[in-house]
Amino acid sequence: TLPEKKMVFKGLVTNKEDMNKLMLTPLIRYPLPGGSALITFEKAEVAQRILEMKEHVVELSCGEELEELDQCRVRVWAAPVDILLPSSLEIRLTRNSRSILVSNLPSLGIPEETLLDKLELFFSKTKNGGSEVERREFLDDSDQVVLTFVRDGVAERLIEKGHIQVLIGKGKYEVKISPYMSGDITNLQLQPSRCPRTILLSGIPDVLGEEPMRDTLEIHFQKASRGGGEVDALAYVPAGQQRVAVFVEDAG
């Protein structure tokens, strides 16, 4: 749901093996007030047509519940969704001299804490090139582990090896050892960007339950006779409530 954008990374890469490994994945949190809905269409031209019409009259079909409301209509308004995206980003990287990054870990189907225990046990032994482990943790949203040793010099010796055979249970697995770098954002510039396939509906009255209203809106805006088209996603927030929508980069 996000437009194409240019990113500028300013820094110095000295290790060819580590090039092209920096990835920026935007996760934009967008507050949704009560009485609103976000609709993402499969095609951008459909969203543009809905925006050009601005005001929309949606018929509420209440089925057998209340026959007198079969012809009830509500007016809603369509507006574009503008979000802020990074246009320029500068990061200062700092290398932790007592920490290592362990990657290429095997998928053993065991709990994370169990795997951390086994890694700590292996790397705490001097015969494996390790020493007492001060801290261990999984990096967020990854299968990489950071190990921090009590003593200086241990991490450097392991990093020089690059790869090491780790004994986990009854099996041996080769894992990759890399320096652990922490980063601080020193300069971040943002620019407004408009979502090409997503629109915001507002002014939705609280006259139907959440699910019936969501279905009604989707049916209405899928009809080509009303300027609509295939709906990819729809999020509706009833009046009196507040929610947050999360936008991710459009893989298409």
Side-chain angles (χ1 to χ4, degrees), residues 133-145:
V133 175
E134 181 181 87
R135 188 173 67 253
R136 80 277 173 89
E137 60 181 329
F138 267 94
L139 287 182
D140 293 339
D141 301 322
S142 79
D143 56 356
Q144 299 175 320
V145 170

Side-chain angles (χ1 to χ4, degrees), residues 51 67 78 88 190 214 232:
L51 289 174
E67 294 183 1
S88 178
L190 301 172
R214 185 169 55 243
D232 191 26

Side-chain angles (χ1 to χ4, degrees), residues 21 94 134 146 161-162:
K21 295 294 179 66
T94 305
E134 181 181 87
V146 178
K161 293 183 178 181

Side-chain angles (χ1 to χ4, degrees), residues 38 74 102 109 188 224 247:
L38 279 178
V74 297
V102 184
L188 174 62
F247 287 87

Side-chain angles (χ1 to χ4, degrees), residues 9-131:
F9 297 96
K10 299 178 181 179
L12 178 64
V13 178
T14 58
N15 189 344
K16 291 183 179 180
E17 188 179 353
D18 294 330
M19 292 180 66
N20 301 322
K21 295 294 179 66
L22 183 60
M23 297 179 63
L24 180 65
T25 304
L27 289 175
I28 309 299
R29 287 168 171 79
Y30 189 88
L32 287 177
S36 68
L38 279 178
I39 303 180
T40 299
F41 296 96
E42 290 186 357
K43 296 182 178 180
E45 53 264 31
V46 176
Q48 185 59 38
R49 284 201 304 267
I50 297 298
L51 289 174
E52 291 173 354
M53 295 170 66
K54 293 183 181 180
E55 184 179 273
H56 298 266
V57 178
V58 179
E59 294 184 3
L60 303 182
S61 177
C62 302
E64 299 177 357
E65 297 177 8
L66 295 172
E67 294 183 1
E68 63 270 23
L69 292 181
D70 280 349
Q71 301 302 318
C72 181
R73 296 177 175 86
V74 297
R75 294 181 183 274
V76 298
W77 288 264
V81 175
D82 294 318
I83 57 179
L84 292 175
L85 289 176
S87 60
S88 178
L89 176 66
E90 294 181 17
I91 302 176
R92 181 180 62 241
L93 296 177
T94 305
R95 179 171 173 175
N96 191 314
S97 62
R98 292 192 292 114
S99 297
I100 62 172
L101 183 67
V102 184
S103 56
N104 293 347
L105 292 168
S107 299
L108 301 176
I110 60 178
E112 287 187 354
E113 281 299 316
T114 302
L115 181 56
L116 288 175
D117 289 341
K118 294 183 180 297
L119 290 173
E120 180 178 352
L121 179 62
F122 179 88
F123 283 101
S124 64
K125 296 179 179 180
T126 54
K127 68 177 183 179
N128 296 327
S131 181

Side-chain angles (χ1 to χ4, degrees), residues 131-169:
S131 181
E132 182 182 352
V133 175
E134 181 181 87
R135 188 173 67 253
R136 80 277 173 89
E137 60 181 329
F138 267 94
L139 287 182
D140 293 339
D141 301 322
S142 79
D143 56 356
Q144 299 175 320
V145 170
V146 178
L147 296 177
T148 302
F149 298 96
V150 174
R151 292 171 48 195
D152 292 327
V154 179
E156 192 64 35
R157 291 194 299 270
L158 289 169
I159 291 169
E160 288 178 358
K161 293 183 178 181
H163 294 81
I164 190 172
Q165 292 278 341
V166 176
L167 181 64
I168 302 178

